[in-house]
Amino acid sequence: MLTSTTTQTTPSTSTSTSYSRYQKTLSQTLARLNISEKEANFFKEPQFIHKKEIAIIRDDGTTALYPAFRVQANNARGPFKGGIRYHPLADEDEVKTLAALMAIKTAVVNIPFGGGKGGIQLDPKSLSKKELEAVSRAYIRAFKDHIGSDIDCPAPDVNTNPAIMAWMRDEYEKETKTFSPSMITGKPMSFGGSLGRDTATARGGFFILEELIERTAMDPDELRVAIQGFGNAGMHMAHFLHNAGFTVVAVSDSHGGIYSPDGIDPVRIEKYKRNTGEVTGEYCEGSVCDLNRMKYDNVERITNEQLLEIECDILIPAALDNVITEENAPRIKAQYILELANGPTTPEADEILNRRGVKLIPDVLANAGGVTVSYFEWTQGRSGEQWTAEKVDAELKRVILDAYKGVRRESYRNKITYREAAFSIGIKRMLDAMRARGWV
Ligand code: NAD
């Protein structure tokens, strides 16, 4: 560890960043709720930003340095909670935004956590397994004083997984000489994980979609779905939807996507993705595709940009943030958008979609299944219990549908969008806790 800063933050004046876009939605909510300036100020910046540069020795003997972050947005309702992302674009602004969204999200689903997020700015694909383990353990050594079961509890996010969570727990327990199964969630089943955590984000979103279409009297087999991102969130969602009779017409990953109006079988896509690293692996090797076979199967190769505008009823962004913008929002064909990714829609795009009557289920609700089952894992770690898959599923459904119905009610009563309604509920719950503590 070469450099280290921890700041207790004051309001910033930055423009046009992920965080300034988040602040726009926040300001509108604070104004709508008539919150005093003194109370409003508490929401504008995270409580703490921890930044370090972590160093590892690479396999070739050279030293590599990576900027690393842990941002703690708000802990009025419970310990900070949120994943750790490994990505070349993970920077302070992005991690700050994601941490703030986590605080709203845990409040929307009403679980006893605050919001936090972590990130390391690196390309995990450029590292060997040994290097990945070294960087994961270094992250914990760098931030160990700021995390823990009752303080701040990380989890997986983009490019991090149960194996990484296991290295992190192991490193934390070694460093602190404690037994701390609840210091991190998303662990493997063999090392304190919970049944259902791997599929929880998609499962929560799926429960919401089921409830939504039930109310609109549509049948799954009438609905076409496009999913951007085929990782933990997107891939499991594709399976749930396909198994329930929806037609998944398009999926993609960072290399691009695949479209078929006849529908795509996620089992086959998963098999080829595992073997070739790409969702198009059944038809293409790099940029060379078997066009005859694609024609026979009525399949087209598409870009990630095309996927967002494809002919479908439900669009599910499940990869990165800020992909739905004022530029492409007018061309989106879907009538429903379920944000499994965090922050995929800019505020400008939100306004356009709302004007066009597109119903959008916002990230702070749509992907809250992950943190909800993380809470169940945290609870199991503290009690020593092991819940059955049935119990996890039933409790997840109860929590997520309670939250969904609360947001729907708030939206209907105040004639506001689901995102506005979710922010209102989240901010009000955080404020109640802050007032009870005497912070404001
Ligand atoms: P993941 O690393 O498992 O998968 C990410 C997927 O996105 C991969 O298929 C990758 O190829 C694809 N991708 C990466 N860059 C892309 C690009 N530029 N264009 C299109 N696709 C791209 O990550 P995940 O856990 O599935 O997370 C995806 C999103 O869901 C993120 O926004 C994350 O914050 C959010 N989320 C995840 C969880 C969870 O429990 N995993 C919970 C809540 C929210």
Side-chain angles (χ1 to χ4, degrees), residues 371-392:
V371 74
T372 301
V373 176
S374 270
Y375 164 51
F376 301 159
E377 182 177 331
W378 181 81
T379 308
Q380 291 168 72
R382 294 167 80 93
S383 65
E385 266 183 60
Q386 180 74 67
W387 292 13
T388 61
E390 290 71 26
K391 179 168 174 177
V392 171

Side-chain angles (χ1 to χ4, degrees), residues 85 157 159 197 201 230-233 253-254 304 318-319 340-342:
R85 173 174 293 200
D157 192 71
N159 291 324
R197 175 61 186 87
T201 301
F230 202 73
N232 177 287
D253 58 26
S254 56
N304 266 295
L340 278 193
N342 281 309

Side-chain angles (χ1 to χ4, degrees), residues 85 87 98 105 117 125 156-160 197 201 228-234 252-255 273 304 318-321 340-342 367 370-371:
R85 173 174 293 200
H87 197 274
L98 294 166
K105 191 183 305 182
K117 202 81 181 186
K125 289 180 194 145
D157 192 71
V158 173
N159 291 324
T160 53
R197 175 61 186 87
T201 301
Q228 183 182 66
F230 202 73
N232 177 287
S252 70
D253 58 26
S254 56
H255 305 279
K273 167 94 180 150
N304 266 295
L320 297 178
D321 50 358
L340 278 193
N342 281 309
N367 68 32
V371 74

Side-chain angles (χ1 to χ4, degrees), residues 228 302-310 323 327-328 331:
Q228 183 182 66
I302 54 169
T303 64
N304 266 295
E305 292 71 35
Q306 287 171 320
L307 180 136
L308 296 169
E309 298 173 25
I310 216 90
V323 291
E327 213 263 307
N328 59 16
R331 295 193 297 271

Side-chain angles (χ1 to χ4, degrees), residues 200-322:
T201 301
R203 194 94 181 123
F206 178 72
F207 285 142
I208 292 174
L209 268 188
E210 268 190 327
E211 172 71 20
L212 181 82
I213 69 156
E214 173 82 26
R215 296 261 299 198
T216 50
M218 291 182 291
D219 270 337
D221 58 12
E222 296 167 322
L223 295 167
R224 299 156 303 166
V225 192
I227 306 175
Q228 183 182 66
F230 202 73
N232 177 287
M235 182 188 77
H236 289 301
M237 192 59 164
H239 285 300
F240 288 137
L241 291 168
H242 180 75
N243 293 341
F246 292 79
T247 308
V248 178
V249 290
V251 295
S252 70
D253 58 26
S254 56
H255 305 279
I258 190 168
Y259 167 69
S260 172
D262 304 336
I264 284 164
D265 178 356
V267 176
R268 279 170 66 170
I269 300 283
E270 184 185 349
K271 183 175 125 192
Y272 284 97
K273 167 94 180 150
R274 210 177 315 116
N275 293 338
T276 67
E278 301 188 17
V279 294
T280 51
E282 183 171 0
Y283 302 97
C284 308
E285 229 184 290
S287 57
V288 182
C289 299
D290 183 341
L291 296 179
N292 285 334
R293 202 155 150 230
M294 289 177 89
K295 198 167 166 203
Y296 184 77
D297 284 355
N298 199 15
V299 162
E300 268 176 60
R301 192 172 188 176
I302 54 169
T303 64
N304 266 295
E305 292 71 35
Q306 287 171 320
L307 180 136
L308 296 169
E309 298 173 25
I310 216 90
E311 203 61 61
C312 67
D313 304 290
I314 304 171
L315 174 64
I316 304 186
L320 297 178
D321 50 358
N322 297 316

